[in-house]
Structures are given as structure tokens and as C-alpha cells.
Amino acid sequence: MADWIGIGRRARRCYGFDEVALVPGSVTVNPAEVDTTFILGKHRFPVPIMAASMDGVVDVKFAIAMGKLGGIAVLNLDGIQTRYDHPEEILKQIASATPEEATKLVQSLYENTKFPVKEKLIAKRIEEIKKAKVPAIVSCIPQNAAAFSKIAAEAGVDAFIVQSTVATVRHISTEYKILDIEKFCKNTKVPVIIGNVVTYEMALEILEAGASGVLVGIGPGAACTSRGVLGIGVPQITATVDCCAARDYYFKRKGKYVPMITDGGMRIGGEICKAFAAGSDAVMVGSAFAKAEEAPGRGYHWGMATSHANLPRGTRIRVGTSGTLKEILMGPARVDDGSQNLVGALKTSMGSLGARNIKEMHDVEIILAPSIQTEGKVFQIGQRVGMGK
């Protein structure tokens, strides 16, 4: 599976969304009759798409709107929503900053010493979401998980995500206290999702530690620069296939099915469909939702590692505002580039592939297709419309 890249050193070829395509099945299904249900703990979500826990994407209002449409929006407990009583003013500052000012501004606004997270705001934001009778799902970094999860549980949170650039069970440090993932999963009364991982071994160890879900993906997000700054990451098709293989092995041994969630790198419906074909049970998307009228970023999106004091690993990008959340998620689409009606795209793809549910989607044929984005698209590319944008 590996090629020589020099004397004594081999490297494995890995694949991203642009390099593969899905092959239609010999049986097709009415898209209106396919089942896209995603199960997490006791909850069943008709929309297996999560809005990423990024401050330019999710606030309380967005989480409520997403929940009412049947999906999941993850609120970031380390961010602006829990540091400032009136986050709208801060979001306006970020949106109005010049590109040169943006990274420095975001670093300062997330600084823990000047603007720490307020515990009362953690509870308040969760209670505001729950008041609308939709599930509340939140995330934070490992260092804050033990403290924040207790507050979140008391406020009625439905699931808790512990998210870092690279998640491992065997983290080593002498400078700070390490989160015991196994103990945390065991003691937390709601489903715990751990991320992010990109390999079979990483995924399997987290599954064995008791996670209720695993996030897959390092550095593919539109606003993330970890791959450029740190040189780490695995293209999302290969990462998803490998981690889902760990899920299936774990299920065969333990009889417990734990969902895999492909996180990042998906801009359009076709890429979401490919993630499910690679084995994903749900996907987490950021930039597509940052374009929604309801998104708090005002047409901007920024990576959540930007706040690192000495090594920013995210950038603020302008994505614009293309439509309402309902249009982006459910349609009707008003643009021709695949960025709207994501659920409709998934259902239509499943129908064409003959997949009646998400698990059947895992078994469809995937081919290597390096020309899939360009074949016959010379006019679209030349005119920068449709697939040529």
C-alpha cells in the first residue's frame, strides 16, 4: 500500500474528496423514501449534519434554528459566547477588522487572562437553547472538559464534545493536568464525543476508552491552517475510511456501534455524500453554514486555533452570505455550486446509489477519479460558474 519516497522510506498514498467519485447502483430508490437518521445516545436526528463549534457559525439563535430543522449545531464553550455578556459587539469587531488586523484581534479577544470564560454564561447559553425545546450540544478543549461538563450537565446539556487538534488517549505532559478520557467518558452522564483523529489506531483507542462518538479530520477546514503551519493531516476520504474500519472492528468485538463523524473539508453536497460513502455516520460542517443569514460571523468564518498565543493555526476568511439556514440545509437552492440544499443532495445521491439508509451508503462503490472535477467542465471553469467556481 506504500510507495518508496527515498532510500529506506515509504509513504502511503491517501485521498481527498476531489480524487474520488461514487458509482450509481443497479437499483435506485425514491429520494423521498431514504432514511438519513443519525442516532446519538437516546436522540434521533433526521438530519445527519452538524454545524461546527466555531464562533463565526454557531450562537444560541443559530443552534435553535438548526435544531428546529432536525440537525445539530455545536456551541463552543471556550469562545466568545461564554466570555462576553454581549457577544454581538465582539462579533461586529471581528467582521469589521482588516485582514491584517484580524488574527491579532481574535488572539486578544480569546485571551484567557484578560477575558476568561464565565461559568454563569456556560449555563445561561445552554438553558437558552433548551428553552426552545431543541437538543443542546456543546464542545470545549480537554483542559476545560472536567469543569465545564459539570456545569453543562446541571444546565441540561444533551451531549458533550471534547475537541482538540489531535486527540489521543495517551497524551504526555508535565506542565498541566491531563484529561483522563476513559474516566471522563465513564463519569459523564451524557454522550461524549471525542476528536479529532485521522488514523485507525487513534480511533480504536478512543473507542475503547468509552467515547459515544468520534470526530475525524485534522486541518481540512476552510479556515484552518494546521496543515500549513504544522504539516500534519490526512486527506478526509482516507482518514474516514480508516477510522470507520476501527469502528467496525470495535463493533464486531464489543457489539457496540459508535458513530464516526467526518469533520471539515466539505464545502458542497457532493463532498458530504462522499464522506458518508467513506463510512461516516454524520458530518460536521463549518464554512457552508457560515454563509447563512443566521450565522453570527456576518459573512466571516475563522479557525478556532487562531487564539493560540504564539502559534496561530487558523485564519479569518470571508465566505459571504448566500441564503438562509433553511435554504442551505433544506433548499430550495438559489445557487448552482452545490452549497445549498445539502439534505436534498444527500437524499438524491442516496437514491441514485440505491442506498435506503446511511449504513447502506457505507457500502456503495467508490472509484479513484482524478478528472471528476474537470471532465467536460471547460465552460464552467472558464466562466467560473457551477463546478468552475
Side-chain angles (χ1 to χ4, degrees):
M1 292 180 65
D3 297 320
W4 294 105
I5 59 170
I7 296 173
R9 195 69 180 266
R10 304 183 79 174
R12 185 163 63 114
R13 179 74 168 89
C14 296
Y15 299 93
F17 294 119
D18 287 348
E19 299 167 291
V20 302
L22 310 181
V23 180
S26 56
V27 175
T28 53
V29 181
N30 177 4
E33 298 179 45
V34 303
D35 180 9
T36 60
T37 302
F38 169 56
I39 299 173
L40 179 65
K42 64 181 182 180
H43 296 285
R44 297 175 67 90
F45 299 94
V47 175
I49 302 175
M50 307 170 77
S53 56
M54 305 178 87
D55 282 345
V57 179
V58 178
D59 62 2
V60 170
K61 291 180 181 177
F62 189 98
I64 292 170
M66 188 77 172
K68 288 184 180 297
L69 289 170
I72 301 168
V74 183
L75 188 73
N76 173 30
L77 297 186
D78 298 310
I80 287 169
Q81 298 298 320
T82 55
R83 293 174 189 267
Y84 301 92
D85 292 285
H86 304 288
E88 297 82 8
E89 299 169 6
I90 306 302
L91 291 161
K92 186 177 180 180
Q93 286 184 44
I94 295 173
S96 60
T98 66
E100 294 76 20
E101 296 170 340
T103 297
K104 185 177 180 180
L105 174 64
V106 171
Q107 283 179 288
S108 66
L109 292 171
Y110 286 80
E111 192 174 330
N112 273 323
T113 54
K114 289 183 181 178
F115 307 107
V117 172
K118 299 175 181 177
E119 294 186 354
K120 66 174 184 177
L121 286 180
I122 294 176
K124 181 180 179 181
R125 303 302 181 215
I126 294 170
E127 288 165 359
E128 288 171 340
I129 296 171
K130 294 293 292 182
K131 189 176 180 180
K133 301 188 185 305
V134 299
I137 298 178
V138 299
S139 78
C140 75
I141 59 175
Q143 294 94 314
N144 294 332
F148 289 4
S149 64
K150 293 177 183 177
I151 301 167
E154 290 178 4
V157 77
D158 294 285
F160 198 92
I161 299 176
V162 182
Q163 194 166 10
S164 54
T165 302
V166 177
T168 61
V169 174
R170 294 174 290 164
H171 182 61
I172 299 170
S173 176
T174 57
E175 290 188 354
Y176 51 81
K177 187 176 181 180
I178 297 168
L179 177 69
D180 185 327
I181 292 178
E182 184 172 1
K183 183 178 179 181
F184 182 80
C185 291
K186 183 178 180 180
N187 293 339
T188 304
K189 303 303 181 184
V190 297
V192 174
I193 298 171
I194 304 291
N196 282 32
V197 304
V198 288
T199 70
Y200 179 96
E201 292 79 11
M202 293 166 70
L204 186 59
E205 288 197 4
I206 286 174
L207 290 171
E208 289 175 340
S212 300
V214 180
L215 292 172
V216 179
I218 293 176
C224 185
T225 60
S226 290
R227 290 180 175 181
V229 176
L230 306 180
I232 64 174
V234 175
Q236 283 290 63
I237 288 292
T238 297
T240 301
V241 169
D242 288 352
C243 292
C244 291
R247 172 202 62 203
D248 295 342
Y249 174 73
Y250 182 78
F251 175 66
K252 186 176 180 180
R253 280 199 309 134
K254 303 289 188 177
K256 180 182 178 183
Y257 189 90
V258 179
M260 291 285 152
I261 304 160
T262 300
D263 175 18
M266 293 153 288
R267 306 157 296 147
I268 55 179
E271 292 166 351
I272 287 173
C273 297
K274 292 175 186 180
F276 284 105
S280 193
D281 298 287
V283 296
M284 179 176 276
V285 177
S287 60
F289 291 126
K291 297 179 180 181
E293 292 176 7
E294 295 89 340
R298 294 169 168 80
Y300 286 94
H301 181 44
W302 55 94
M304 296 310 296
T306 307
S307 54
H308 191 291
N310 299 314
L311 191 65
R313 296 192 309 287
T315 188
R316 189 202 65 173
I317 58 172
R318 178 162 177 76
V319 295
T321 300
S322 64
T324 65
L325 174 59
K326 186 175 181 180
E327 287 171 334
I328 291 170
L329 200 60
M330 302 293 191
R334 293 196 287 125
V335 295
D336 60 0
D337 60 1
S339 63
Q340 293 186 349
N341 197 3
L342 301 179
V343 173
L346 175 59
K347 289 185 174 182
T348 302
S349 179
M350 290 173 66
S352 298
L353 294 162
R356 292 169 295 180
N357 53 54
I358 295 298
K359 287 190 177 181
E360 288 188 7
M361 189 71 166
H362 297 167
D363 296 326
V364 303
E365 183 180 359
I366 302 177
I367 57 170
L368 298 180
S371 65
I372 196 68
Q373 298 295 318
T374 57
E375 185 177 38
K377 303 298 184 290
V378 62
F379 290 110
Q380 291 187 38
I381 293 169
Q383 297 169 35
R384 296 186 63 78
V385 296
M387 289 180 66
K389 290 183 179 178

